[in-house]
Amino acid sequence: ISWKPSTKPVDEMSPAEKREHGLSKRAEGTRLLKKGKFSAAASEFEAGVESLWTLHALMKSGAPNPAALAEVFEALRSCLLNHAQCSLKLGRYEDAAALCSRILALPGEEDNVKARYRRGVALAHLLQYVEAKEELRAACKLDPKSKEIRDEYERVVEAHAAQKRAERE
Protein backbone atom coordinates (compact mmCIF):
# COMPACT_ATOMS: atom_id res chain seq x y z
CA ILE A 1 0.00 0.00 0.00
CA SER A 2 1.30 3.39 -0.89
CA TRP A 3 -0.08 6.89 -0.95
CA LYS A 4 0.99 10.06 -2.63
CA PRO A 5 0.46 13.44 -0.95
CA SER A 6 -1.95 15.56 -2.96
CA THR A 7 -0.52 18.64 -4.58
CA LYS A 8 -2.06 22.06 -4.39
CA PRO A 9 -3.81 23.00 -7.67
CA VAL A 10 -1.63 25.20 -9.87
CA ASP A 11 -4.10 28.08 -9.83
CA GLU A 12 -3.79 28.19 -6.02
CA MET A 13 0.02 28.24 -6.03
CA SER A 14 2.08 31.37 -5.48
CA PRO A 15 4.53 32.31 -8.23
CA ALA A 16 7.39 30.87 -6.17
CA GLU A 17 5.49 27.60 -5.71
CA LYS A 18 4.69 27.44 -9.43
CA ARG A 19 8.38 27.92 -10.24
CA GLU A 20 9.50 25.25 -7.78
CA HIS A 21 6.77 22.84 -8.90
CA GLY A 22 7.58 23.33 -12.58
CA LEU A 23 11.32 22.94 -12.13
CA SER A 24 10.93 19.81 -9.99
CA LYS A 25 8.53 18.26 -12.52
CA ARG A 26 11.02 18.97 -15.31
CA ALA A 27 13.84 17.35 -13.33
CA GLU A 28 11.75 14.27 -12.48
CA GLY A 29 10.51 14.00 -16.07
CA THR A 30 14.07 14.15 -17.36
CA ARG A 31 15.14 11.42 -14.94
CA LEU A 32 12.28 9.18 -16.08
CA LEU A 33 12.89 9.94 -19.76
CA LYS A 34 16.52 8.84 -19.43
CA LYS A 35 15.30 5.55 -17.93
CA GLY A 36 12.93 5.01 -20.85
CA LYS A 37 9.79 5.41 -18.74
CA PHE A 38 8.04 7.55 -21.34
CA SER A 39 4.51 7.49 -19.97
CA ALA A 40 5.55 8.51 -16.46
CA ALA A 41 7.94 11.12 -17.87
CA ALA A 42 5.17 12.55 -20.06
CA SER A 43 2.96 13.01 -16.99
CA GLU A 44 5.74 14.85 -15.17
CA PHE A 45 6.44 17.11 -18.15
CA GLU A 46 2.73 17.82 -18.55
CA ALA A 47 2.50 18.94 -14.92
CA GLY A 48 5.63 21.05 -15.40
CA VAL A 49 4.17 22.71 -18.47
CA GLU A 50 0.98 23.56 -16.58
CA SER A 51 2.89 25.34 -13.79
CA LEU A 52 5.47 27.01 -15.99
CA TRP A 53 3.00 28.14 -18.65
CA THR A 54 0.85 30.02 -16.15
CA LEU A 55 3.92 31.41 -14.38
CA HIS A 56 5.46 32.57 -17.66
CA ALA A 57 2.24 34.36 -18.64
CA LEU A 58 2.02 35.95 -15.18
CA MET A 59 5.65 37.10 -15.28
CA LYS A 60 5.32 38.58 -18.77
CA SER A 61 2.26 40.62 -17.78
CA GLY A 62 4.02 42.29 -14.85
CA ALA A 63 7.41 43.93 -14.59
CA PRO A 64 9.49 40.81 -15.17
CA ASN A 65 12.95 40.11 -13.87
CA PRO A 66 14.76 39.21 -17.14
CA ALA A 67 16.91 36.47 -15.57
CA ALA A 68 13.97 34.84 -13.80
CA LEU A 69 11.80 35.09 -16.92
CA ALA A 70 14.57 33.48 -19.01
CA GLU A 71 14.89 30.62 -16.50
CA VAL A 72 11.14 29.94 -16.58
CA PHE A 73 11.03 30.21 -20.38
CA GLU A 74 13.92 27.74 -20.77
CA ALA A 75 12.28 25.28 -18.37
CA LEU A 76 8.94 25.62 -20.20
CA ARG A 77 10.56 25.02 -23.59
CA SER A 78 12.44 22.01 -22.20
CA CYS A 79 9.25 20.49 -20.73
CA LEU A 80 7.36 20.98 -24.00
CA LEU A 81 10.16 19.49 -26.13
CA ASN A 82 10.64 16.52 -23.83
CA HIS A 83 6.89 15.94 -23.56
CA ALA A 84 6.75 15.91 -27.37
CA GLN A 85 9.60 13.38 -27.45
CA CYS A 86 7.77 11.14 -24.97
CA SER A 87 4.59 11.44 -27.04
CA LEU A 88 6.49 10.32 -30.15
CA LYS A 89 7.94 7.34 -28.29
CA LEU A 90 4.44 6.41 -27.08
CA GLY A 91 2.88 6.73 -30.53
CA ARG A 92 0.81 9.75 -29.53
CA TYR A 93 1.52 11.61 -32.74
CA GLU A 94 -1.31 14.13 -32.56
CA ASP A 95 -0.17 15.13 -29.06
CA ALA A 96 3.44 15.42 -30.21
CA ALA A 97 2.48 17.64 -33.14
CA ALA A 98 0.33 19.85 -30.90
CA LEU A 99 3.11 20.22 -28.31
CA CYS A 100 5.59 21.20 -31.02
CA SER A 101 3.10 23.72 -32.37
CA ARG A 102 2.92 25.29 -28.92
CA ILE A 103 6.71 25.60 -28.86
CA LEU A 104 6.86 27.14 -32.32
CA ALA A 105 4.18 29.67 -31.31
CA LEU A 106 6.33 30.97 -28.45
CA PRO A 107 8.13 34.25 -29.12
CA GLY A 108 11.51 33.62 -30.74
CA GLU A 109 10.94 29.88 -31.15
CA GLU A 110 9.66 29.77 -34.73
CA ASP A 111 13.08 28.42 -35.78
CA ASN A 112 13.39 25.79 -33.05
CA VAL A 113 14.96 22.92 -34.98
CA LYS A 114 13.96 20.20 -32.48
CA ALA A 115 10.33 21.32 -32.52
CA ARG A 116 10.29 21.46 -36.33
CA TYR A 117 11.90 18.01 -36.58
CA ARG A 118 9.61 16.39 -34.02
CA ARG A 119 6.50 17.96 -35.54
CA GLY A 120 7.64 16.68 -38.95
CA VAL A 121 8.08 13.16 -37.58
CA ALA A 122 4.65 13.28 -35.91
CA LEU A 123 2.95 14.55 -39.07
CA ALA A 124 4.62 11.82 -41.12
CA HIS A 125 3.20 9.18 -38.78
CA LEU A 126 -0.19 10.82 -39.21
CA LEU A 127 0.27 10.41 -43.00
CA GLN A 128 0.26 14.19 -43.47
CA TYR A 129 3.22 13.99 -45.81
CA VAL A 130 3.02 17.44 -47.42
CA GLU A 131 3.10 19.18 -44.01
CA ALA A 132 5.73 16.76 -42.72
CA LYS A 133 7.99 17.53 -45.67
CA GLU A 134 7.60 21.28 -45.04
CA GLU A 135 8.58 20.88 -41.39
CA LEU A 136 11.52 18.61 -42.13
CA ARG A 137 12.71 20.86 -44.97
CA ALA A 138 12.65 23.80 -42.55
CA ALA A 139 14.56 21.73 -39.97
CA CYS A 140 17.14 20.79 -42.64
CA LYS A 141 17.67 24.47 -43.45
CA LEU A 142 18.11 25.28 -39.77
CA ASP A 143 20.55 22.39 -39.19
CA PRO A 144 21.98 21.32 -42.55
CA LYS A 145 24.60 19.06 -40.95
CA SER A 146 22.07 16.80 -39.20
CA LYS A 147 22.06 13.39 -40.85
CA GLU A 148 19.08 12.36 -38.71
CA ILE A 149 16.94 15.17 -40.09
CA ARG A 150 18.04 14.57 -43.70
CA ASP A 151 17.37 10.82 -43.38
CA GLU A 152 13.89 11.45 -41.99
CA TYR A 153 13.15 13.94 -44.76
CA GLU A 154 14.20 11.40 -47.40
CA ARG A 155 12.07 8.72 -45.73
CA VAL A 156 9.02 11.01 -45.80
CA VAL A 157 9.62 11.96 -49.44
CA GLU A 158 9.72 8.26 -50.36
CA ALA A 159 6.64 7.46 -48.26
CA HIS A 160 4.74 10.31 -49.91
CA ALA A 161 5.76 9.10 -53.38
CA ALA A 162 4.63 5.58 -52.47
CA GLN A 163 1.30 6.93 -51.25
CA LYS A 164 0.81 8.82 -54.53
CA ARG A 165 1.64 5.68 -56.54
CA ALA A 166 -0.87 3.67 -54.52
CA GLU A 167 -3.57 6.28 -55.07
CA ARG A 168 -2.97 6.29 -58.83
CA GLU A 169 -3.25 2.50 -58.96
Side-chain angles (χ1 to χ4, degrees):
I1 297 175
S2 68
W3 60 278
K4 184 177 181 179
S6 63
T7 332
K8 186 190 288 189
V10 172
D11 58 344
E12 293 178 14
M13 292 181 185
S14 70
E17 289 172 322
K18 286 178 185 173
R19 179 188 168 278
E20 185 58 38
H21 183 256
L23 294 177
S24 70
K25 292 297 180 181
R26 178 181 71 165
E28 181 61 14
T30 301
R31 186 185 72 74
L32 291 165
L33 178 61
K34 288 179 181 176
K35 288 185 169 187
K37 297 181 177 183
F38 304 118
S39 184
S43 295
E44 294 295 320
F45 290 130
E46 187 173 358
V49 166
E50 183 184 10
S51 296
L52 295 167
W53 191 272
T54 56
L55 178 59
H56 184 259
L58 181 67
M59 291 174 76
K60 276 184 18 182
S61 68
N65 169 339
L69 185 61
E71 176 193 41
V72 169
F73 185 81
E74 171 55 36
L76 174 60
R77 180 180 50 220
S78 174
C79 283
L80 284 165
L81 280 169
N82 288 332
H83 191 189
Q85 180 66 14
C86 291
S87 295
L88 286 174
K89 295 285 189 184
L90 294 166
R92 298 176 187 158
Y93 304 116
E94 289 177 359
D95 292 347
L99 289 161
C100 291
S101 294
R102 285 179 74 182
I103 296 163
L104 294 166
L106 291 170
E109 293 300 308
E110 36 300 312
D111 289 337
N112 186 309
V113 70
K114 285 183 179 180
R116 292 254 176 227
Y117 171 73
R118 290 176 184 166
R119 186 161 71 173
V121 170
L123 291 170
H125 279 92
L126 294 169
L127 307 180
Q128 297 176 16
Y129 293 123
V130 173
E131 297 87 351
K133 286 192 303 188
E134 288 174 13
E135 290 298 334
L136 293 167
R137 188 179 303 117
C140 282
K141 287 179 182 175
L142 293 168
D143 188 0
K145 294 181 180 178
S146 173
K147 182 174 175 2
E148 181 181 25
I149 295 171
R150 282 192 321 270
D151 289 348
E152 185 65 21
Y153 177 75
E154 290 170 10
R155 188 190 73 71
V156 169
V157 167
E158 178 52 38
H160 189 216
Q163 181 188 48
K164 283 181 177 180
R165 282 191 301 273
E167 287 173 0
R168 277 193 301 266
E169 293 172 4

